Amino acid sequence: NKNIKIPPAKLIQLQSWLKWAITQSQGVYPAVSACAEPNPRCLQRIRYTALLNRKRRLSIYSNAYFERLVESLSKDFEILYKILEESSFRKIVRDYLNAYPSTSTNIGEVGRYLPKFLRNYSFTSKIPFLADLAKLEWALIEAFYANDVLPLDQNTLRKFARNEQALIGAKIKLDPSVHLFCLQWPVDDIWRKREFVSGTKIKQSRY
C-alpha cells in the first residue's frame, strides 16, 4: 500500500485509465475489486498516503462525477425525479450509466437514451408509464434547443396561391422543435400537473 517505483506510463494510457476509474457507475471500490481494471493497470501509480489511500483518493473524483450526472439528469427529467424520489432515481441513473455510459463532452446529452433504457428496465413494471414520461421530457429538451427557422411569410404563401403547379410539388416541413410520437400513457396530463406531482401522490393516482 505504499508508494513504489514502477515503470513510467504513456500519457494516453494514464488518461484512459483515469477515465475508466472515474466514470465507473458502480464506484471505484467495486470496479477495482472486481479485477476489471484494464491494462496497463495504473492503480499503483496513484499517490498513497496514510490518510488517503489510492481507492479513496480516486473515489473523490468518481463520486463527484456521478453526483454531477445525477444532478443534471434530475433537472432534465424533473417530473421523473419527483415521481421516483431520490433513492430510486439514483439507482436508475446508476444502472442507466452502466448500460449507456456517457460518450459526449456535452453533459446535456447524457439522458438521450434514458427513455429507451426505461422501456425494458425491470423497475418499469411497477410504474409502467416511466418510459413514456421520460420520452416526453426529453422531447421538450430537444424542442427547447432546436435550431430556429424562419416561418412561412404571407408573400410566399401568396406566390403559391397564384401558382397551382408550384403548390402541388411543395413540401411543408415541421419546425425542428416539433416532435410527433405515439405514447401508451397520458403522460402529457402528468406534465401539465407537474407542480403538484410527488412520489407519494402519484402512487395514489390512476395513471
Side-chain angles (χ1 to χ4, degrees), residues 118-138:
L118 290 175
R119 189 68 62 187
N120 300 310
Y121 188 56
S122 58
F123 192 86
T124 56
S125 61
K126 302 177 182 178
I127 313 179
F129 60 81
L130 290 182
D132 278 357
L133 179 58
K135 187 174 183 178
L136 175 61
E137 291 199 89
W138 185 254

Side-chain angles (χ1 to χ4, degrees), residues 31-48:
V32 175
S33 300
C35 298
E37 188 180 351
N39 289 318
R41 305 184 71 178
C42 297
L43 181 61
Q44 293 298 323
R45 300 180 186 277
I46 303 301
R47 181 177 173 81
Y48 172 88

Side-chain angles (χ1 to χ4, degrees), residues 12-26:
I12 186 64
Q13 293 175 333
L14 290 172
Q15 290 174 329
S16 297
W17 187 89
L18 279 172
K19 178 185 177 182
W20 168 84
I22 292 172
T23 60
Q24 291 301 298
S25 61
Q26 71 268 38

Side-chain angles (χ1 to χ4, degrees), residues 67-116:
E67 292 300 327
R68 182 67 185 94
L69 294 186
V70 170
E71 179 187 22
S72 177
L73 289 170
S74 68
K75 292 180 179 178
D76 288 344
F77 299 92
E78 181 181 1
I79 310 172
L80 194 70
Y81 175 74
K82 287 183 178 180
I83 292 173
L84 292 169
E85 300 181 330
E86 183 73 17
S87 59
S88 296
F89 186 80
R90 291 175 69 87
K91 183 182 186 309
I92 286 179
V93 169
R94 195 173 293 279
D95 292 342
Y96 167 64
L97 293 175
N98 189 48
Y100 293 91
S102 176
T103 58
S104 173
T105 56
N106 181 1
I107 195 172
E109 291 289 322
V110 174
R112 176 170 296 278
Y113 301 106
L114 184 59
K116 179 181 178 181

